[in-house]
């Protein structure tokens, strides 16, 4: 397990249009981390099917997410970009870890409770419940030291750590125990239409989220309609009644890297309309060059496929090694003793 650089793994589900929440909470920090870590970034299509997906849409979104990874600045020469289902070790270790997961731990996960509540009880798939065990497999296969995620994934990360510790205690040291890497600003971007709920790519309402591929006028339309309050005061706050303004400030901060005090001073004496316009400007400044790059990548499917094929090949080498070790420790007879 000797490595020169520490390892990082993370992923995004191709389950809809990527939002600025996905960008600010995850992608943006991955781009920074590629300089100092050995990075594995996957498109977690097997996670996406824990809720019903239209096949055509899943296919298109998988490529779209890959192109957005590149457009955001991930360099395929330096990081390994791959599709989860291209590396069968994820499914295999996933099953092993499902067998090690106490049901009580799985039922406690808030994401399961939230997503299950949105569906008819008899249509909630077993995959949704087992999602955290598959996520644990994604991370542990790469012996990742750190997992850069938004705040919503904190509980799943804790689950991964607990499961790895349990496995190591039962079968001997096998997995590195990973740490969550949660950004200081932008760790939880809230819905524009409902600032007490997380902004989510699978939320259907039109004014809920700014998508990474929204045109500038659409960004403007959505942000200008964002829910605020009647206090007329622009300051950071954890009070639920001020969550809308706090969310706009958080987005502004994640894009400008300024301190709370500097931002509050900048907006002193200004109105919510000014704040919204400033947020629109910052978002569009960030998204426009990114979208130009995206258009180039998405129109080169051969290039994208090649990157994903190379990525899967590189990822498989690492993943297979860990899988073999885990199976050996558990008492599986390996084919030809290897
Ligand atoms: N609102 C958010 N603020 C900050 N970070 C966020 N992330 C997601 N939403 C926000 C981070 O994006 C990464 C990828 O998430 P995912 O695709 O694996 O699933 P998710 O966390 O469930 O994100 P969504 O957008 O809400 O997807 P759906 O609607 O399909 O479930 C993670 O690092 C996450 O923290």
């Amino acid at each position: 397990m000797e490595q020169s650089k520490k390892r990082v793994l993370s992923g995004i589900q191709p389950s809809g249009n990527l939002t600025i929440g996905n960008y600010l909470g995850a992608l943006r920090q991955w781009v920074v981390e590629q300089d100092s870590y050995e990075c594995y970034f996957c498109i977690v299509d097997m996670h996406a099917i824990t809720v019903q997906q239209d096949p055509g849409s899943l296919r298109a979104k998988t490529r779209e997410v890959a192109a957005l990874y590149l457009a955001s600045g991930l360099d395929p020469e330096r990081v390994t970009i791959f599709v989860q289902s291209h590396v069968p070790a994820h499914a295999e270790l996933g099953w092993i870890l499902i067998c090690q997961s106490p049901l009580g731990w799985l039922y406690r996960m808030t994401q399961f409770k939230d997503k299950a509540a949105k569906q008819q009880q008899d249509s909630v798939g077993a995959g949704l419940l087992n999602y955290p065990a598959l996520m644990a497999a994604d991370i542990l296969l790469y012996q990742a030291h750190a997992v850069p995620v938004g705040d919503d994934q904190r509980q799943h990360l804790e689950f991964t750590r607990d499961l790895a510790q349990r496995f190591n205690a039962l079968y001997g040291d096998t997995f590195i125990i990973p740490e969550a890497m949660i950004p200081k600003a932008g760790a939880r971007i809230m819905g524009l239409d409902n600032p007490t709920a997380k902004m989510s790519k699978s939320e259907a309402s039109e004014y809920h989220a700014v998508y990474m591929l929204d045109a500038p006028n659409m960004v403007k339309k959505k942000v200008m309609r964002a829910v605020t309050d009647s206090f007329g005061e622009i300051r950071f706050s954890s009070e639920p009644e001020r969550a809308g303004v706090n969310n706009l400030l958080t987005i502004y901060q994640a894009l400008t890297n300024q301190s709370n005090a500097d931002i509050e001073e900048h907006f002193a004496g200004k109105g919510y309309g000014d704040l919204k316009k400033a947020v629109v400007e910052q978002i569009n400044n960030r998204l426009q060059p990114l979208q130009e790059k995206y258009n180039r990548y998405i129109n080169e499917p051969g290039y994208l496929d090649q990157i994903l094929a190379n990525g899967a090949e590189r990822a498989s080498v690492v993943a297979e090694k860990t899988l073999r070790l885990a199976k050996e420790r558990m008492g599986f007879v390996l084919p030809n003793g290897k």
Side-chain angles (χ1 to χ4, degrees):
M1 267 185 237
E2 266 186 18
Q3 297 152 215
S4 50
K5 278 183 177 175
K6 288 201 166 179
R7 279 202 191 133
V8 147
L9 173 125
S10 201
I12 296 183
Q13 302 178 70
S15 48
N17 298 318
L18 262 56
T19 72
I20 53 164
N22 298 128
Y23 177 73
L24 296 174
L27 260 174
R28 177 186 57 130
Q29 33 161 9
W30 301 359
V31 175
V32 176
E33 279 139 21
Q34 67 184 338
D35 294 325
S36 27
Y37 293 89
E38 180 184 328
C39 295
Y40 295 83
F41 295 122
C42 50
I43 297 142
V44 285
D45 53 351
M46 297 198 317
H47 281 282
I49 61 161
T50 56
V51 296
Q52 207 64 40
Q53 299 293 336
D54 167 73
S57 166
L58 182 64
R59 205 170 290 126
K61 292 294 164 196
T62 300
R63 286 217 162 78
E64 189 174 302
V65 175
L68 279 170
Y69 281 9
L70 298 174
S72 298
L74 291 182
D75 173 2
E77 298 290 324
R78 281 187 289 160
V79 305
T80 301
I81 298 173
F82 65 102
V83 177
Q84 184 187 29
S85 66
H86 293 180
V87 181
H90 289 251
E92 244 186 293
L93 186 64
W95 174 251
I96 289 173
L97 294 181
I98 284 170
C99 296
Q100 302 298 319
S101 301
L103 266 181
W105 293 10
L106 291 165
Y107 277 119
R108 218 176 293 140
M109 296 292 117
T110 51
Q111 189 181 76
F112 169 71
K113 289 192 238 175
D114 291 349
K115 289 198 172 178
K118 286 186 189 157
Q119 297 179 32
Q120 300 278 358
Q121 211 187 342
D122 56 3
S123 62
V124 176
L128 197 58
L129 181 67
N130 290 311
Y131 181 115
L134 180 60
M135 178 166 158
D138 300 338
I139 297 164
L140 300 178
L141 273 177
Y142 298 89
Q143 303 288 9
H145 301 89
V147 186
V149 284
D151 185 59
D152 63 315
Q153 292 296 335
R154 197 187 284 274
Q155 195 185 31
H156 285 165
L157 233 296
E158 273 309 311
F159 178 98
T160 299
R161 288 169 56 85
D162 291 345
L163 200 57
Q165 269 153 357
R166 184 183 161 97
F167 191 102
N168 286 352
L170 283 171
Y171 302 108
D173 257 1
T174 307
F175 300 122
I176 286 182
I177 311 297
E179 304 281 342
M181 263 173 144
I182 312 239
K184 285 197 183 75
R188 187 177 283 261
I189 304 298
M190 310 307 278
L192 297 177
D193 57 345
N194 174 9
T196 55
K198 187 193 79 148
M199 183 182 281
S200 205
K201 68 175 113 63
S202 59
E203 176 60 59
S205 60
E206 203 183 342
Y207 294 99
H208 170 76
V210 170
Y211 299 131
M212 288 180 72
L213 294 176
D214 273 343
N217 59 349
M218 181 54 79
V219 173
K220 185 170 178 195
K221 203 162 152 188
K222 288 178 172 175
V223 173
M224 296 313 281
R225 285 180 67 132
V227 168
T228 51
D229 54 54
S230 52
F231 297 109
E233 231 183 321
I234 302 183
R235 65 174 169 85
F236 286 91
S237 165
S238 55
E239 295 161 58
E241 314 80 64
R242 297 176 188 262
V245 171
N246 187 67
N247 192 36
L248 293 170
L249 287 170
T250 304
I251 296 170
Y252 185 86
Q253 180 167 53
L255 289 164
T256 60
N257 291 323
Q258 292 173 26
S259 68
N260 288 18
D262 283 351
I263 293 174
E264 286 175 357
E265 194 186 316
H266 176 77
F267 287 110
K270 295 190 177 147
Y272 291 166
D274 300 312
L275 170 62
K276 287 178 171 177
K277 278 189 208 139
V279 170
V280 170
E281 195 185 330
Q282 289 301 332
I283 295 176
N284 282 335
N285 285 348
R286 183 63 65 97
L287 291 186
Q288 267 185 307
L290 196 153
Q291 290 175 0
E292 280 165 26
K293 286 189 200 148
Y294 168 84
N295 287 330
R296 286 208 298 275
Y297 291 122
I298 204 70
N299 290 316
E300 275 191 79
Y303 175 68
L304 267 187
D305 287 349
Q306 193 54 54
I307 284 177
L308 296 176
N310 293 346
E313 207 177 308
R314 291 211 299 257
S316 291
V317 174
V318 181
E320 284 293 336
K321 189 173 164 203
T322 310
L323 177 64
R324 248 187 340 265
L325 178 66
K327 286 166 95 172
E328 208 172 25
R329 292 266 153 89
M330 289 190 83
F332 283 85
V333 174
L334 301 181
N336 301 321
K338 281 189 259 174

